[in-house]
Amino acid sequence: AYDNSPGAIEKVLGGGISQVASCIYLAAFLTDIDITEHHCYPYTVNYSPLGLDAHVIKGSKNLVFTNTFDFPIKIEVSYIDDIINVKIIGTNQKNGKGIQPTVTSTPNSYETEYIEDPELDEGTEILQQSGIVGYEVKVYKKRLINGVELITEYITTETYQARKEIIIRGTKPIDI
């Protein structure tokens, strides 16, 4: 799958694991399954609403949830034409009940670092690394019956790091 780097245009081997985990997480969230371990990606993602992604790393970050229903569930995941579909199948006990995720986000600006390079002509600037705006995201779960909101439950606050912009500036005097 495509990696999550800004401007990524190629698929990479091993890419997409967190994208699949994010789809499973959102399906579990909407099904009201008890989620006991969840981590968001450290930077903003391009495949999920902020606060609703899942970042997994073997041995350190997992997505863990528990079926607390009184019936078994089945998770079906498919990947067709670059689209991931996740279905959680069990006994339908919705009776008009629904869940809607909502988020509020506050942006955190990135800083710009300038590195002076005596080999580059004065007035020349080269962008070495693009900056990424960070966010603080509050995640809520709205519980609905027949489309009418009953209660909004605060779930968590996720922080996406800002990444500084780095610009190389030339300081070599220009001969005139």
Side-chain angles (χ1 to χ4, degrees):
Y2 296 98
D3 70 10
N4 193 45
S5 302
I9 57 172
E10 293 183 5
K11 292 182 180 182
V12 296
L13 183 61
I17 301 300
S18 290
Q19 294 173 34
V20 172
S22 295
C23 291
I24 293 170
Y25 171 71
L26 188 54
F29 187 98
L30 293 172
T31 308
D32 210 19
I33 289 176
D34 185 25
I35 299 164
T36 55
E37 184 178 351
H38 167 251
H39 306 273
C40 283
Y41 205 79
Y43 298 105
T44 57
V45 296
N46 56 14
Y47 52 79
S48 172
L50 293 181
L52 299 174
D53 62 292
H55 184 50
V56 293
I57 299 174
K58 183 179 179 179
S60 65
K61 293 184 177 185
N62 295 299
L63 172 60
V64 179
F65 50 89
T66 304
N67 179 10
T68 56
F69 298 122
D70 58 357
F71 52 86
I73 61 170
K74 177 181 176 182
I75 300 171
E76 288 185 355
V77 180
S78 63
Y79 177 77
I80 300 169
D81 296 328
D82 287 344
I83 296 174
I84 301 167
N85 285 303
V86 176
K87 291 181 186 177
I88 298 181
I89 302 167
T91 302
N92 184 356
Q93 294 188 336
K94 283 192 165 190
N95 298 327
K97 296 177 186 174
I99 293 181
Q100 178 182 0
T102 59
V103 298
T104 60
S105 60
T106 306
N108 299 316
S109 298
Y110 59 83
E111 296 178 3
T112 301
E113 176 184 347
Y114 294 94
I115 300 172
E116 294 185 355
D117 185 343
E119 301 297 317
L120 284 176
D121 288 341
E122 190 175 40
T124 302
E125 290 187 348
I126 299 172
L127 179 65
Q128 184 181 50
Q129 175 177 285
S130 295
I132 298 175
V133 174
Y135 289 89
E136 180 180 277
V137 178
K138 294 185 185 305
V139 179
Y140 302 88
K141 184 183 281 191
K142 286 186 180 181
R143 297 186 181 278
L144 313 168
I145 290 191
N146 298 321
V148 177
E149 181 181 338
L150 291 179
I151 190 168
T152 297
E153 174 185 354
Y154 166 78
I155 302 299
T156 188
T157 297
E158 300 292 348
T159 302
Y160 294 88
Q161 301 170 21
R163 184 179 78 178
K164 68 180 171 183
E165 175 183 67
I166 301 174
I167 297 176
I168 301 173
R169 279 185 175 163
T171 59
K172 179 175 138 183
I174 300 173
D175 294 333
I176 297 180

